[in-house]
Amino acid sequence: MVWYIVRRFLQLIPVFLGATLLVYFLVFSLPGDATAAICGERGCTPAVVAGLREQYNLDQPFWIQYLLYLKGVLTFDLGTNFSGRPIATIIAEVFPTTAKLAIMALVIEAVFGIVFGLIAGLRKGRIFDSSVLVLSLIVIAVPIFVLGFLMQFLIGVKLQWTNPTVSGDATITELLLPAVVLGLVSFAYVLRLTRTSIIENVNADYVRTATAKGLSRRRVVVVHVLRNSLIPVVTFLGADLGALMGGAIVTEGIFNVNGVGNTLYRAVLNGDGPMVVSIVTFLILIFCLANLLVDLLYAWLDPRIRYA
Amino acid sequence: MSTQVIGGTGDTGADLPASQGPVLEVRNLSVDFGVDKKWVPAAIDLNYEVKAGEVLAIVGESGSGKSASSMSLLGLLPSNSRVTGEVLLNGKSVLTMSPARLRQIRGNDVAVIFQEPMTALNPVYTVGFQIVETLRLHNEISPDEAKQRALRLLQMVELPDPDKAFRSYPHQLSGGQRQRAMIAQSLSCDPKLLIADEPTTALDVTVQAEILDLMRNLRTQLNSAIVLITHDMGVVADLADRIAVMRQGRIVETGTAEQIFRNPQHEYTRALLAAVPHLGQGDGKDDVDVTAALAAATHTDLQTVDHDELERREQNVLAQLADAEHEVASHGTPGVAPVLELIDVAIEYPKQGRVPAFRAVEGANLTVYPGQVIGLVGESGSGKTTIGRAAVGLLPVAAGSLKVVGTDVSGFRPSSKELAKVRRHVGMVFQDPSSSLNPRLPIGESIGEPMYLAGEAKGGELQKRIEALLDQVELPRAYRNRYPHELSGGQKQRVGIARALSLKPKLMVADEPTSALDVSVQAKVLELFQNLQRELGFACLFVTHDLAVVDVLADYICVMRRGRIVEQGSRDQILRSPQDPYTQRLLAAVPLPDPEKQRERRELRAKLLTVSD
């Protein structure tokens, strides 16, 4: 087991190298001069441009630039972005907000998705099941920005239950609405996955055995059916955790959340190469770790899966 | 309060009255399933009763309603079912009980042993957890006490290491151990009634014999009433006191075991008994007295049989063996080239990722001549299927030489053209007809595909050949446009045979072709197979775990164990004079569909086991 975890961490190395190389190459190939973004509309004197080029190694060939960047990462120095702020500081500033938002969204989609899916699966074909299915289909079909603006308008502006936008502090109550919007689509998927899985498992032989032992319906469902049914759901939630941690550009945009998504979006617009590469690399690492977490959870849920 | 043996009883009110009334009385029980808004009957008007310490076997083929009616006793049927009639457990009506009362009875007064312990035990909990769960549900005891009792139960069902079994998950145990764990769980609250639904069907014969021994011992120890549901007449003969034969939802005949086996009244019972292939019966001409053969080979004396009588029988068996060998010798060995020849062959499952290669067969020597039927027998994991698959080139040969129709295939790559050429001479029939036919192809296309791919026939010619093949396997020609799901299991396997025959193979590999079928269907498919083999004269490697089936078909038998061939010889040599201890144990473990003969067989088996220990 320990070996397995160590191996998984070793696997991060090629993933890290490949991903940074790819992203670095993409940013490098972007058309236009990177210094133009720093200088803005009015432009800089040629001397300043040359200075900037030297500062950000833009005068070097691609491989040298990349290796210099790697060296920086390995010495825990991500460098500065084009506005001169240390990139590490910026990530440390925005990531907690995104993490908070992601975890809230994940909890919301997991709890509601599993509970609703469980009830729908146990009452297959009845009115609750059918209406929940139709609702989830609507949620999946409607684009997220429509849902986002709609809920912002209804709950934030009309009813005024919460602030329509999130302040710099990003408190839990402020994040609740964006978290619901963010979790809504995945909630529909979790619900459907859970429902299918429950329907599959509820007729399994071991469920009949559990009933034949004299267990109450409640215990049969919670102890025997649910744990077996959660295995595919956990896979989905794990992948989703990685995606959520990457920040939601649309949702963060709508609610003005100062998170990773928003920051990345701005960096891309500004052609801020170092910033983009650093954030993407960071996200890749987070994604890999989330995946590892899921695989370990998997083994805990299903003892037939053993890693060596 | 009833007597406490191991598990202890919870006080549920359904206690045994002092009188010796039946534990279970079933009156006019009917079960219907709602299908497409109509009630389809599964069991009609059943009446039976079971006393304490008595084993009632309910026998029937699939779809006879034997399982559905038994599950209805505890309300274990799916919600689209309807149960009418009366079920009395110690005089109390079960069907009218409140759900809460019913739960108190389940697992406590009535316990169930299910067919497939792999799926019937929850895969994500340890065996210990599941037994403790039952114990603590019906008894007010501490976790420690429950654990102690669970360990004692696991010991009682003769698990070699109860502590380890307690901590194990179901997939970490072997099939037999799993079934023991399942039985331990069922016995945890000293049930007054035990429903055993095909308890040994998923198990190997030697393991089956052990489980049957265990159940027989438990019945005397616990004095429970047992309802045994099975399709296997050998199991019935081994365990049952009384028998109810079911067909299409009705009980067609009931009686004591002696009555049913000695003097069956209903024609269906007679047909059912006739369809059961039993070891030693061969193709009906000469019945081999396997018990006597085993006694002779191992120099064992039996209490159940008179000494002189046994000696006479033994001599009879050996005399017939001499005759048979004489006959073979006069025929002489055929001077033709073998169609399949294995010389010192080892077969490996190649390594996959970090899973190392697994050597499934080692040092196998085997020769199949044209027209010969060779039965390859062994229990699960013995490597019998592996040899069959290697003969068709589905698995690479790791060492030694494997010749198919004169060509050595051991060096060929799995997708090479040479191998494809050799495969044309070999047909294969697979175990499960439902999953080995493409569900989206009409059966005519499935049958014709090999000929089309080999460029043997096209267009009208191909259609004619398909029709001829359908005729050969006795299916209507009109079936060519049907899809597999529209056919019954037996019909599907006929399609499988037709497909295997389509290229007129010199060698046929049949991998357990009848193990998924009911006995009466199996009998018909085997008969068809035999006729085709005689008519077309192909050689056949028949892989099976069922000795009785091999006995019907094979001229030559090859016994495998743990990847090695332990004994091979003509049918007469193996059945009349088995030499290897494993062959002897295997033969002794096959139950005979005859209570009296089975008693002899059982004693013999017990003796063999004590000797080999």
Side-chain angles (χ1 to χ4, degrees):
Chain A
M1 194 64 176
V2 178
W3 265 115
Y4 174 75
I5 297 173
V6 170
R7 249 198 7 253
R8 285 291 296 262
F9 271 102
L10 290 178
Q11 279 171 9
L12 286 182
I13 296 172
V15 171
F16 168 78
L17 288 177
T20 47
L21 181 63
L22 192 70
V23 178
Y24 211 94
F25 178 72
L26 287 175
V27 172
F28 181 85
S29 324
L30 279 180
D33 188 353
T35 56
I38 307 175
C39 299
E41 293 289 316
R42 272 179 297 164
C44 306
T45 58
V48 176
V49 170
L52 281 173
R53 283 180 157 270
E54 206 188 313
Q55 187 192 341
Y56 291 102
N57 303 317
L58 295 173
D59 47 351
Q60 306 283 348
F62 173 69
W63 284 108
I64 305 292
Q65 280 193 40
Y66 178 64
L67 290 177
L68 283 171
Y69 172 74
L70 273 190
K71 183 186 148 214
V73 171
L74 293 178
T75 51
F76 298 102
D77 174 18
L78 292 175
T80 60
N81 70 353
F82 282 173
S83 342
R85 294 190 63 203
I87 292 173
T89 317
I90 297 177
I91 292 182
E93 213 175 271
V94 298
F95 182 66
T97 308
T98 294
K100 230 191 284 177
L101 186 62
I103 288 168
M104 284 171 71
L106 193 78
V107 169
I108 290 170
E109 70 185 53
V111 170
F112 286 93
I114 290 171
V115 169
F116 280 50
L118 176 68
I119 298 172
L122 293 176
R123 301 190 182 166
K124 186 189 161 198
R126 312 250 199 97
I127 187 88
F128 180 87
D129 182 35
S130 320
S131 30
V132 156
L133 276 184
V134 170
L135 268 177
S136 66
L137 195 63
I138 293 172
V139 169
I140 292 172
V142 176
I144 184 102
F145 63 86
V146 175
L147 285 173
F149 281 125
L150 204 67
M151 292 187 64
Q152 184 182 38
F153 180 70
L154 281 179
I155 295 171
V157 180
K158 278 277 168 190
L159 297 170
Q160 302 204 332
W161 288 352
T162 62
N163 286 340
T165 54
V166 177
S167 69
D169 297 339
T171 58
I172 302 256
T173 35
E174 279 176 338
L175 285 175
L176 205 55
L177 190 57
V180 169
V181 172
L182 197 54
L184 213 50
V185 176
S186 300
F187 154 77
Y189 283 115
V190 170
L191 184 152
R192 288 177 161 244
L193 260 178
T194 311
R195 175 185 175 272
T196 318
S197 190
I198 292 277
I199 290 172
E200 214 171 276
N201 279 300
V202 97
N203 289 322
D205 282 359
Y206 62 81
V207 177
R208 191 176 57 171
T209 310
T211 311
K213 278 156 79 166
L215 298 177
S216 66
R217 176 80 179 150
R218 189 188 188 84
R219 188 169 166 97
V220 169
V221 167
V222 174
V223 176
H224 290 270
V225 178
L226 197 57
R227 180 158 165 189
N228 277 283
S229 307
L230 282 184
I231 292 163
V233 180
V234 164
T235 321
F236 176 81
L237 286 176
D240 209 40
L241 175 67
L244 289 172
M245 286 288 186
I249 293 178
V250 175
T251 312
E252 288 187 0
I254 294 171
F255 293 96
N256 190 34
V257 181
N258 187 24
V260 174
N262 242 338
T263 312
L264 181 61
Y265 178 63
R266 278 198 307 269
V268 172
L269 280 190
N270 295 339
D272 193 339
M275 190 74 199
V276 172
V277 177
S278 297
I279 291 183
V280 172
T281 308
F282 178 72
L283 293 184
I284 288 167
L285 289 180
I286 293 281
F287 203 91
C288 290
L289 289 179
N291 259 330
L292 175 61
L293 191 73
V294 172
D295 285 349
L296 295 179
L297 200 59
Y298 224 63
W300 174 76
L301 271 178
D302 188 348
R304 282 166 296 183
I305 298 166
R306 276 283 168 261
Y307 304 116
Chain B
M1 273 291 185
S2 63
T3 45
Q4 179 171 331
V5 177
I6 288 256
T9 60
D11 189 8
T12 62
D15 285 354
L16 205 72
S19 65
Q20 271 296 317
V23 176
L24 175 73
E25 284 174 87
V26 172
R27 302 263 166 269
N28 308 321
L29 179 73
S30 294
V31 180
D32 302 87
F33 285 103
V35 182
D36 298 334
K37 300 193 174 160
K38 268 189 289 185
W39 289 113
V40 177
I44 306 156
D45 208 14
L46 306 186
N47 286 288
Y48 58 83
E49 53 183 56
V50 196
K51 294 192 191 68
E54 186 182 54
V55 179
L56 170 75
I58 303 183
V59 192
E61 298 190 283
S62 49
S64 63
K66 58 187 193 303
S67 268
S69 59
S70 308
M71 290 303 127
S72 75
L73 302 181
L74 274 184
L76 292 177
L77 291 175
S79 53
N80 66 336
S81 61
R82 180 179 72 179
V83 183
T84 54
E86 203 175 13
V87 175
L88 298 176
L89 184 69
N90 290 326
K92 296 210 167 73
S93 170
V94 178
L95 295 182
T96 56
M97 267 177 199
S98 70
R101 287 278 291 122
L102 190 59
R103 280 204 298 276
Q104 288 177 340
I105 284 186
R106 286 175 180 160
N108 196 14
D109 298 294
V110 186
V112 189
I113 301 172
F114 291 101
Q115 174 167 5
E116 175 43 91
M118 184 67 232
T119 55
L121 290 169
N122 193 328
V124 302
Y125 294 108
T126 60
V127 165
F129 175 94
Q130 300 187 48
I131 297 178
V132 166
E133 188 184 33
T134 318
L135 280 167
R136 297 201 63 202
L137 178 72
H138 295 294
N139 302 281
E140 282 180 19
I141 51 176
S142 68
D144 279 345
E145 202 184 339
K147 184 178 176 182
Q148 290 314 314
R149 282 200 198 173
L151 285 172
R152 259 178 290 159
L153 282 162
L154 291 169
Q155 199 169 12
M156 185 173 77
V157 295
E158 294 156 27
L159 274 161
D161 187 346
D163 278 309
K164 197 174 157 217
F166 186 90
R167 289 190 312 268
S168 297
Y169 290 96
H171 71 277
Q172 292 168 328
L173 301 174
S174 71
Q177 289 173 336
R178 276 199 290 267
Q179 194 57 293
R180 283 169 198 272
M182 180 86 224
I183 293 175
Q185 174 176 285
S186 306
L187 298 177
S188 56
C189 297
D190 293 337
K192 295 167 190 79
L193 173 67
L194 197 57
I195 300 172
D197 184 3
E198 304 264 10
T200 59
T201 303
L203 306 173
D204 279 325
V205 264
T206 52
V207 181
Q208 164 172 294
E210 286 166 20
I211 296 287
L212 290 177
D213 279 348
L214 174 69
M215 288 185 62
R216 193 175 311 101
N217 293 342
L218 291 174
R219 158 199 172 190
T220 41
Q221 263 179 43
L222 301 176
N223 201 35
S224 308
I226 299 179
V227 174
L228 173 72
I229 303 155
T230 183
H231 69 280
D232 188 331
M233 281 297 180
V235 171
V236 173
D238 193 62
L239 213 55
D241 300 310
R242 286 192 308 119
I243 299 172
V245 182
M246 278 190 78
R247 185 199 190 188
Q248 292 171 2
R250 293 179 195 275
I251 294 181
V252 295
E253 186 170 2
T254 47
T256 65
E258 299 288 317
Q259 281 169 352
I260 300 281
F261 279 104
R262 288 271 165 272
N263 192 13
Q265 297 298 315
H266 196 276
E267 58 177 320
Y268 177 70
T269 314
R270 268 179 284 193
L272 196 63
L273 282 169
V276 181
H278 69 265
L279 185 60
Q281 152 205 35
D283 44 13
K285 284 182 299 229
D286 46 348
D287 218 343
V288 180
D289 187 345
V290 179
T291 309
L294 283 166
T298 55
H299 312 288
T300 313
D301 216 0
L302 294 175
Q303 280 170 0
T304 39
V305 192
D306 180 64
H307 180 75
D308 297 334
E309 166 74 10
L310 185 64
E311 208 152 89
R312 193 188 56 73
R313 279 166 56 184
E314 286 176 13
Q315 273 161 9
N316 196 8
V317 166
L318 294 175
Q320 280 171 349
L321 174 62
D323 284 353
E325 282 187 338
H326 180 73
E327 200 181 325
V328 170
S330 64
H331 277 294
T333 38
V336 285
V339 280
L340 180 70
E341 194 174 17
L342 278 75
I343 301 167
D344 210 17
V345 164
I347 304 163
E348 273 177 3
Y349 285 89
K351 92 178 184 95
Q352 285 182 329
R354 303 177 63 85
V355 182
F358 173 69
R359 190 158 275 211
V361 171
E362 180 91 65
N365 289 296
L366 180 67
T367 312
V368 185
Y369 289 101
Q372 214 178 16
V373 179
I374 297 214
L376 199 54
V377 196
E379 299 190 290
S380 44
S382 62
K384 56 188 193 300
T385 295
T386 306
I387 288 191
R389 296 182 61 178
V392 197
L394 289 174
L395 280 173
V397 176
S401 106
L402 193 153
K403 277 189 195 165
V404 182
V405 200
T407 318
D408 192 340
V409 299
S410 41
F412 291 169
R413 309 188 123 268
S415 53
S416 66
K417 275 188 189 151
E418 295 98 321
L419 196 59
K421 226 178 264 173
V422 174
R423 277 193 186 136
R424 258 184 222 186
H425 301 296
V426 189
M428 183 148 187
V429 185
F430 297 91
Q431 176 165 15
D432 183 355
S434 308
S435 60
S436 57
L437 289 171
N438 187 336
R440 284 174 187 78
L441 279 189
I443 60 163
E445 278 188 44
S446 281
I447 295 174
E449 200 173 22
M451 293 185 280
Y452 181 77
L453 288 177
E456 282 256 323
K458 262 185 203 156
E461 166 70 10
L462 182 65
Q463 299 311 318
K464 255 185 233 159
R465 291 271 293 269
I466 293 173
E467 281 175 4
L469 282 163
L470 282 170
D471 291 346
Q472 277 184 324
V473 295
E474 293 161 18
L475 283 177
R477 288 181 181 186
Y479 272 34
R480 56 187 305 164
N481 292 323
R482 297 209 181 180
Y483 287 89
H485 70 267
E486 297 175 285
L487 271 57
S488 71
Q491 288 172 333
K492 271 184 267 196
Q493 200 54 293
R494 282 168 196 263
V495 175
I497 293 173
R499 177 175 59 182
L501 288 175
S502 62
L503 286 174
K504 299 185 178 140
K506 296 197 172 83
L507 173 67
M508 169 93 94
V509 177
D511 186 5
E512 305 255 18
T514 59
S515 64
L517 306 175
D518 271 328
V519 270
S520 60
V521 182
Q522 164 172 295
K524 284 185 198 128
V525 173
L526 288 179
E527 195 189 324
L528 169 79
F529 192 86
Q530 248 177 324
N531 290 340
L532 285 171
Q533 197 270 333
R534 257 181 233 134
E535 197 179 312
L536 304 171
F538 52 83
C540 178
L541 189 63
F542 198 95
V543 178
T544 181
H545 69 282
D546 190 338
L547 282 155
V549 168
V550 170
D551 175 32
V552 174
L553 288 177
D555 317 311
Y556 194 87
I557 297 175
C558 185
V559 183
M560 290 196 70
R561 186 194 192 202
R562 293 188 192 153
R564 290 184 175 276
I565 296 177
V566 293
E567 188 168 4
Q568 53 181 312
S570 70
R571 165 184 176 260
D572 289 283
Q573 279 166 349
I574 299 288
L575 294 188
R576 292 180 203 274
S577 178
Q579 295 306 314
D580 187 86
Y582 176 71
T583 314
Q584 291 165 357
R585 281 213 302 280
L586 195 64
L587 288 171
V590 182
L592 277 170
D594 181 326
E596 204 174 303
K597 286 187 187 163
Q598 174 57 17
R599 217 165 293 141
E600 296 172 6
R601 177 69 56 83
R602 208 155 57 211
E603 190 200 339
L604 179 82
R605 178 173 164 272
K607 288 228 163 107
L608 279 184
L609 289 179
T610 48
V611 171
S612 66
D613 285 345

